Amino acid sequence: MNSTALSPASTATRETSLAKPSKRPLIGLAGIFLAAMMAGLNTRVGALALADVRGAMSLGFDDASWLTTVYSAGELIAMPFSAWFAITLSMRRLELWMLGTCSLLALILPFIHNLDLLLVLRFVQGLAAGTTIPLLMMAALKFLPPPIRLYGLAMYAMTATFAPNLSIWLAGHWTDGLLDWRWVYWQIIPLAFIAGGLIAWGLPQESIQYPRFRQANWPGLACGVLALGSMTVALDQGVRLDWFQSPLITASLIAGLALLAVYLLTEWYHPSPFIKLQILGRRNLGLGCILFVSLLVVLMSSSLLPASYLGPLQHYRPFQMASIGLIVALPQLILGPVVALLLYRKWIDARLVFASGLLLIALACLCGAQLTSDWNRDQFVMAQTLQAFGQPMAVVSMLFLITSVVQPPEGPYVSGTINTLRAFGSLVGAAVVGQLMTVRSRFHGEMLLDRAALASYAHGLEPSQLMGVIDQQSLVLSIADAYRVLGIVALLLIPLVLRLTYIPAPVTRMASSPSSSSSSHG
C-alpha cells in the first residue's frame, strides 16, 4: 500500500493543485489579441498602401477606392454579431475559422485582377477580420479576474492606438523597403498562424449550441447587415462623391438610417437579441459610448492629419512618414499597462485620468494647428509625443469606466456594442475630417484668390504658378483648421467625462475563498 497517497498532507496538496486555475485560457487570450491586432493592421495598411495596390493592379482611383469601402463594410457588419456566433459556435471554433478564411484570402488576393471578384473577396475578408476585435474584449471580460482585467483592456486599447500608427511603418516597409506590394496582403498570414496555434491550444473545445439558432433575431440581423453596409458606403464614399449631390450616397444614407431604426427596434423587443440596448440606460455605458465615438473622431489628429500634409505637400512616401506613426505606436506597449497599473491605485480617479488624456490630446492638436508650408516630419514630433501619452490615458480609462458597470453575463452584449461603435466611429471620424478639410480648403482658396491678381502683378507669377501656391496654402490652412476643431472637441469632451459615475479601483488581491470571490465580483 502506498501510505503517501492516503496522507492528509498529500491529499491537501493534490486538492490545491486541482483548484489552481488553468493558465491555458491566458494563452488563448494572447492568441485572440494577436488576431485582433492582425485585423487592425489589415484594415489600415490596406488603406495606406492603396496607391501602390492601384498601380500594381492597373486600377483607377475611383475603382480602387471601393477596395477600402467594401472591407470596412464587411468589418462593421460582423462586429455586432460576432459575440453571438462565438457563444453559439464556441469562441475557439469561430476564431480558427475566421483566421483560416483571412489567411486564405490574403494568400490569393494579389493574384486576382478582376475588380468585381476582388471586391467580393475583400468584403469577405473584412467580414472574417471584423469578428476578431470584438472577441478580444469579450475574452478579456470572460477569462480575466478583476485583479488583472485592466491589463486585458489595455491590450484591447492597443487596437485603437498601437495598430493604426504602426500601420504607417508597415505600409512603407512593404512598398518601399521590400519593394513587394503583395506583402500588404500577405503580412497577416504569419500572425494568423501564430494566433491560430495559441487559440487552438489555449481555448477549450466546446460543442455547438444548436438551439440558439432557433432563438436568434434573424429578421433583425438581415436589417442590420443591410443598414451597416449602406451606412459604410455613405460615410466612406461621401466626401469623394460630394454627399447629397450623389444619388448613391443619398439612397445609401436614407436606406441605412431607416433599416438601422428597424434593426434597433427589433433588438429592443426581441427576447434573445444580438446586442442588448437596455444596458445603454446606465450612465457610464450610454454616455461612455458617446464619448467613445467622439474620441475616435479626435484620434484622427494623430494619424490622418499628418499623413494628409506630408503626403500631398511634402511628397513623403509611407516609409518616410513611418517615424511619425512609431512615435505614437511604440510607447503604447509600455504606457497601456502603466495606465492600467495607475488605475489600480485607490487614490486615482479614472475620470481625471481620462480628462488628463484628453487635455494632452488637445495640446497636441494645438501644436499641430501651428502648421505652415515649411513644416516637415520633424515639426510633428512634439504633437505626436503628446498623443502617445494622451491616447492610452483616455482610451484605457474610458474602457475601465464603461466595462465596470457590466455584469459578467452581459460581456458579449457590451463587446458587440462597443466594437460596432469603434468601427462606426472610425468611419465617422474620417468622413468628418475629410469633409472639414474640403470645406475649409475651398474657403481659404476663395479668400486667397481675392488677392491673386495683386500677388501675380507684384511677384510676376504665372497663373499656373499662382494656382499651385493657392492650392498648397489652402490645404495647409485647412489641415491647421482641422487640428483646431479636433482640439476644441477634445476639450469639450472633458465636462462630459466628469459627469461619468465614479468607479473605485478594482481589488488587486486575488480572492482566497469562494465567498470572497463572489464579493469581489459584486
Side-chain angles (χ1 to χ4, degrees), residues 210 301 366 512:
Y210 290 103
S301 58
L366 180 61
S512 58

Side-chain angles (χ1 to χ4, degrees), residues 277-289:
L277 296 172
Q278 287 83 350
I279 62 176
L280 296 178
R282 301 169 196 170
R283 177 185 293 184
N284 278 23
L285 267 170
L287 184 55
C289 288

Side-chain angles (χ1 to χ4, degrees), residues 127-250:
L127 276 174
T131 63
T132 60
I133 298 177
L135 297 188
L136 175 58
M137 175 177 283
M138 178 181 168
L141 295 174
K142 177 180 180 180
F143 295 128
L144 298 179
I148 59 172
R149 184 172 295 160
L150 274 176
Y151 298 109
L153 295 177
M155 291 169 59
Y156 172 81
M158 289 173 63
T159 64
T161 57
F162 178 76
N165 291 289
L166 180 66
S167 297
I168 302 174
W169 176 80
L170 283 174
H173 187 66
W174 304 138
T175 56
D176 295 337
L178 287 181
L179 297 177
D180 192 342
W181 66 272
R182 294 175 296 182
W183 279 99
V184 169
Y185 295 120
W186 290 346
Q187 64 172 356
I188 68 170
I189 297 176
L191 272 179
F193 270 94
I194 297 171
L198 295 174
I199 290 168
W201 188 83
L203 297 187
Q205 298 188 35
E206 299 172 337
S207 58
I208 298 176
Q209 300 184 35
Y210 290 103
R212 287 176 59 85
F213 286 103
R214 294 192 297 271
Q215 303 165 1
N217 180 18
W218 296 115
L221 183 143
C223 291
V225 165
L226 294 174
L228 295 173
S230 300
M231 295 292 289
T232 304
V233 169
L235 291 171
D236 204 53
Q237 295 285 334
V239 175
R240 184 178 71 85
L241 298 177
D242 200 14
W243 297 100
F244 293 108
Q245 301 303 315
S246 166
L248 173 64
I249 300 301
T250 304

Side-chain angles (χ1 to χ4, degrees), residues 345-421:
R345 305 280 76 82
K346 294 295 183 184
W347 47 273
I348 289 293
D349 186 338
R351 299 173 300 176
L352 297 180
V353 178
F354 191 170
S356 300
L358 286 172
L359 182 60
L360 289 177
I361 294 172
L363 289 174
C365 292
L366 180 61
C367 291
Q370 312 307 311
L371 181 72
T372 69
S373 57
D374 296 325
W375 276 35
N376 57 38
R377 183 175 53 195
D378 297 337
Q379 278 69 49
F380 285 95
V381 169
M382 177 57 71
Q384 295 298 92
T385 302
L386 290 170
Q387 293 274 2
F389 283 90
Q391 289 187 16
M393 293 172 66
V395 177
V396 178
S397 302
M398 179 204 63
L399 292 174
F400 166 64
L401 290 165
I402 289 177
T403 58
S404 293
V405 299
V406 176
Q407 299 301 317
E410 297 170 330
Y413 298 120
V414 173
S415 172
T417 303
I418 293 296
N419 285 279
T420 302
L421 291 174

Side-chain angles (χ1 to χ4, degrees), residues 426-496:
S426 297
L427 287 169
V428 169
V432 167
V433 173
Q435 185 64 21
L436 175 62
M437 288 173 55
T438 299
V439 170
R440 296 302 294 173
S441 182
R442 289 173 182 167
F443 170 79
H444 289 300
E446 291 172 359
M447 294 297 101
L448 291 171
L449 276 173
D450 290 342
R451 306 177 185 180
L454 180 61
S456 177
Y457 177 78
H459 299 284
L461 295 175
E462 295 292 330
S464 59
Q465 293 176 308
L466 185 63
M467 290 307 298
V469 172
I470 290 174
D471 289 341
Q472 181 193 60
Q473 292 301 316
S474 61
L475 181 56
V476 169
L477 292 171
S478 69
I479 295 172
D481 287 345
Y483 268 118
R484 291 188 188 95
V485 170
L486 295 181
I488 292 171
V489 172
L491 292 175
L492 292 176
L493 292 179
I494 292 177
L496 294 179

